Amino acid sequence: MVEETIKTIKETENEAEEMIKKADAQCTDILEQASVEAMGLKEQAEMDAKAKAEEALAAAKEAADHLAKQKAVEVEQEIAAMRDAALGKEKEAVQAVMQALV
């Protein structure tokens, strides 16, 4: 009877060791899987952030181009107004020079 009890205890110990080995293997697998998933999530987050940054940069460039074109139109309008004003005063300048010469 004692031998049978000892045999049962040894079998139980062997089963426990086997369970511990399986648990360790499962733990290692789970950790490896989690590490791979974490790397994938990190890479995806980096790609998403890069894409958003590129979109924001493109939008900023487009806004800057639009503003530059708008300012160029305004400058052209100011130049035209100055040219018109100068042409309007040209007659007066010619008359003033003619009067000064006479």
Side-chain angles (χ1 to χ4, degrees):
M1 176 108 175
V2 172
E3 287 179 22
E4 194 173 305
T5 304
I6 291 173
K7 183 179 176 184
T8 304
I9 291 172
K10 285 186 179 183
E11 287 175 1
T12 304
E13 285 176 348
N14 288 339
E15 289 175 9
E17 283 182 35
E18 196 63 34
M19 290 173 76
I20 289 172
K21 287 179 184 177
K22 285 181 182 179
D24 281 344
Q26 282 181 332
C27 180
T28 300
D29 288 345
I30 290 170
L31 288 174
E32 287 175 1
Q33 237 177 356
S35 178
V36 168
E37 288 179 21
M39 289 297 289
L41 290 173
K42 178 183 173 190
E43 288 174 4
Q44 185 62 45
E46 287 174 352
M47 288 189 309
D48 291 347
K50 184 177 179 181
K52 286 182 181 179
E54 288 173 355
E55 288 176 13
L57 180 60
K61 284 182 179 180
E62 186 176 329
D65 287 345
H66 178 71
L67 183 61
K69 288 177 183 176
Q70 183 180 0
K71 291 299 178 183
V73 168
E74 290 175 10
V75 168
E76 287 295 324
Q77 290 172 346
E78 285 182 30
I79 290 171
M82 288 179 176
R83 187 177 300 125
D84 290 343
L87 288 174
K89 296 197 182 221
E90 182 180 21
K91 291 178 185 176
E92 293 175 21
V94 169
Q95 287 177 355
V97 169
M98 295 292 271
Q99 287 178 356
L101 292 175
V102 177

